Amino acid sequence: MKKFLVFFGVIVFMLLTVLLYLAVSYLFPYPYSKMNILFIVLLLVLVWRQSGYVVWMSFFLHFLIELYTLTPFGVVLFSSTISILGAYWLSENVLTNRSWLSTVFLGIMTMTTYRILYLVALLTARLFSSSVDIVWSGLATTFAWELLFTVLGFGVAYACCVPIFRRFPGRQHFPTEV
Amino acid sequence: MRRTKKLTTFLLILTVITITVLVHYFGWLDSVEVSLRTVLSPASRLIYTESIILKGEDESFATVAELESAYQTLKHEQSALRARALTADLLEEENQELKRQLHFFQAHGFTVMTAEVTGKNVDPFGSSIIVDVGSEQEVSVGDPVIIGEGILVGVISRVAPKTAIVRLLDDHQSKVAATLRNQDRSLGVVEGGYGLSVRMNLIPQHEQVGVGDIIMTSGLETNMPRGLLIGTVEAIEREAYQPFQTAIVRPSEQYTHITIVSVLTNGTTSTPL
């Protein structure tokens, strides 16, 4: 029963996260709308719980997002899930310190990996479909805005959440000073 | 040992992703995807409607000089428009009569399907909207999407039974064959750029292009009728060593405020998502 409730809770949490992501995309003006709420939430869950489940959460969340994107199916799913897997390994083996700076650095690394993999997946999809095209002008600007606001959002959210994480710790020990 | 475990995990996740993608393309996930869309659509529609109300028609200016410049431009335009208003009234009467006779869309075999916008793109690199008509209403990939009386805003890019995704003209993968209402009737391709800009490329270098020239569809591609309004020329980029020039396009409508659209369908078989 408890397992079922936890599972149900996770499903509701994921749906609410997707709605929050939609709300930010729809309601916020450019360039704030480029903030990637999904990655902020996933990274917060990762640094809090330090569990591999976050990779599967990323998989299901981005599966939902695939329904709202125009890129060939799988591009977002592949790049996001693999980048979160990379973030999990990075946080477990390299950036083990939970200071604000190292956590923000984790965010930068994850977003950069995500967009590099996104481009690789798009270029691969281009080999199979002539309808896929990449316009290079504007790409860097869009990525820069997304990186800036996502990392800023993550940094602020992490600083706010540390007292909660400390009170309800997962596998990770949180320092008294962020 | 640890490295092997990591490799196994990586391969496992990669396999799951590959299987999901394959299952999607075989169409075995259709029912799941339709159910998920049904769950998310009402909330998406609500948030989208609220965003339209909240954003309104506001325009912001970074500096006072920018505001003054915009005001002066508007004053000039207003004077010119007044002079043309009288002529326009007469032309409108004539136009109404001609339109009745022309049956523009019917003559091209197109049927107009009105649709409500229920959401928009969430990928920061794309620019699209979701509409509440799909293959059940005979909407198919490539159908032009217009607002008002023939203002092109995009093209149907993906179709599900009850919904469709419209790739807007400012999406980076959008390409529409277009023509200019200039002396040369220049041909080119209107392309978008990550929701930030719309450009008309491949205009031959020797042809005269002016700021304010009207851009419309050329009709040189399947499903797309000639004469749908795209926008006007805002600026021209011309390099002496290049064979082509580029026009920066000011779209006729702001794509962020679209609530109702019309899809020009021709009743062909649709390609599923």
Side-chain angles (χ1 to χ4, degrees):
Chain A
M1 185 63 186
K2 194 188 168 192
K3 273 187 178 174
F4 173 77
L5 282 177
V6 170
F7 178 75
F8 184 72
V10 170
I11 296 287
V12 171
F13 175 73
M14 285 200 291
L15 284 174
L16 287 176
T17 308
V18 170
L19 290 180
L20 185 65
Y21 182 55
L22 292 179
V24 169
S25 295
Y26 292 4
L27 295 169
F28 281 31
Y30 176 86
Y32 308 102
S33 59
K34 301 292 175 195
M35 186 192 295
N36 196 322
I37 290 292
L38 289 192
F39 269 82
I40 293 178
V41 171
L42 286 168
L43 287 169
L44 281 175
V45 172
L46 172 66
V47 293
W48 179 30
R49 305 304 299 176
Q50 195 58 49
S51 159
Y53 284 120
V54 76
V55 179
W56 296 112
M57 268 184 75
S58 169
F59 177 84
F60 288 112
L61 282 173
H62 286 96
F63 179 81
L64 292 174
I65 293 305
E66 284 278 16
L67 305 177
Y68 286 86
T69 58
L70 267 180
T71 45
F73 190 91
V75 169
V76 172
L77 194 65
F78 165 78
S79 46
S80 59
T81 311
I82 299 297
S83 58
I84 289 292
L85 176 68
Y88 172 63
W89 285 339
L90 206 60
S91 70
E92 203 171 49
N93 302 306
V94 185
L95 300 167
T96 50
N97 175 1
R98 283 294 171 265
S99 69
W100 188 84
L101 271 180
S102 80
T103 313
V104 164
F105 184 67
L106 176 71
I108 295 170
M109 290 298 288
T110 311
M111 288 309 295
T112 310
T113 315
Y114 170 51
R115 281 310 172 189
I116 289 171
L117 289 174
Y118 178 91
L119 278 179
V120 169
L122 259 188
L123 287 169
T124 313
R126 208 174 158 186
L127 298 176
F128 299 99
S129 169
S130 58
S131 65
V132 179
D133 203 1
I134 303 167
V135 178
W136 297 102
S137 63
L139 187 83
T141 318
T142 310
F143 171 63
W145 284 127
E146 185 189 35
L147 181 70
L148 176 71
F149 288 110
T150 307
V151 170
L152 268 180
F154 174 56
V156 172
Y158 178 68
C160 296
C161 288
V162 160
I164 305 168
F165 293 170
R166 218 178 278 138
R167 195 173 161 79
F168 306 101
R171 278 169 52 195
Q172 190 64 38
H173 169 71
F174 283 89
T176 42
E177 287 297 319
V178 185
Chain B
M1 184 67 189
R2 211 168 164 179
R3 192 168 280 182
T4 318
K5 197 187 163 194
K6 276 186 180 158
L7 186 67
T8 315
T9 312
F10 178 73
L11 289 176
L12 170 74
I13 290 169
L14 211 58
T15 311
V16 172
I17 293 171
T18 312
I19 290 172
T20 311
V21 172
L22 287 176
V23 165
H24 166 84
Y25 282 110
F26 284 132
W28 297 339
L29 274 178
D30 282 358
S31 53
V32 178
E33 289 171 9
V34 167
S35 312
L36 287 171
R37 275 200 191 94
T38 313
V39 171
L40 288 172
S41 274
S44 164
R45 185 190 301 245
L46 183 73
I47 298 169
Y48 183 76
T49 314
E50 283 303 314
S51 76
I52 296 289
I53 296 165
L54 282 172
K55 282 178 184 168
E57 294 288 337
D58 293 345
E59 199 176 347
S60 56
F61 298 94
T63 60
V64 176
E66 201 179 302
L67 174 64
E68 277 175 2
S69 161
Y71 173 71
Q72 289 301 331
T73 312
L74 279 174
K75 266 179 77 174
H76 290 307
E77 280 180 8
Q78 193 197 21
S79 309
L81 284 171
R82 268 190 197 144
R84 290 175 64 186
L86 187 65
T87 324
D89 282 345
L90 298 169
L91 282 171
E92 194 183 339
E93 283 174 29
E94 190 184 348
N95 185 35
Q96 289 299 327
E97 181 57 32
L98 283 171
K99 265 178 29 182
R100 270 195 292 274
Q101 290 175 19
L102 192 61
H103 294 298
F104 180 79
F105 296 124
Q106 287 86 348
H108 286 80
F110 286 100
T111 351
V112 181
M113 183 69 62
T114 306
E116 192 184 343
V117 180
T118 61
K120 68 174 187 177
N121 172 71
V122 289
D123 178 6
F125 283 11
S127 179
S128 62
I129 50 174
I130 301 154
V131 292
D132 64 352
V133 291
S135 55
E136 287 178 5
Q137 287 81 26
E138 296 197 334
V139 167
S140 56
V141 171
D143 286 347
V145 179
I146 61 167
I147 56 171
E149 289 185 26
I151 300 171
L152 183 74
V153 291
V155 172
I156 297 288
S157 182
R158 278 189 183 184
V159 181
K162 288 184 169 61
T163 57
I165 300 184
V166 180
R167 189 191 300 284
L168 296 174
L169 292 182
D170 59 354
D171 182 87
H172 68 284
Q173 294 197 43
S174 166
K175 282 185 176 60
V176 175
T179 182
L180 277 162
R181 295 277 295 164
N182 60 356
Q183 201 180 348
D184 298 307
R185 295 291 186 262
S186 306
L187 293 172
V189 178
V190 168
E191 296 178 86
Y194 302 97
L196 304 173
S197 64
V198 183
R199 288 159 170 263
M200 183 169 169
N201 295 322
L202 303 176
I203 306 168
Q205 181 75 265
H206 62 274
E207 295 184 351
Q208 287 300 314
V209 182
V211 172
D213 283 352
I214 290 170
I215 302 165
M216 61 181 199
T217 54
S218 64
L220 294 177
E221 55 192 319
T222 326
N223 288 0
M224 187 69 75
R226 183 181 164 81
L228 297 179
L229 181 64
I230 293 173
T232 52
V233 175
E234 193 172 45
I236 302 131
E237 287 177 357
R238 187 182 292 144
E239 300 286 351
Y241 57 87
Q242 295 278 12
F244 299 106
Q245 52 186 318
T246 299
I248 310 294
V249 182
R250 180 196 290 269
S252 297
E253 277 294 322
Q254 271 191 294
Y255 301 139
T256 46
H257 294 94
I258 304 169
T259 50
I260 301 282
V261 296
S262 298
V263 184
L264 305 185
T265 64
N266 56 5
T268 52
T269 321
S270 61
T271 312
L273 267 174

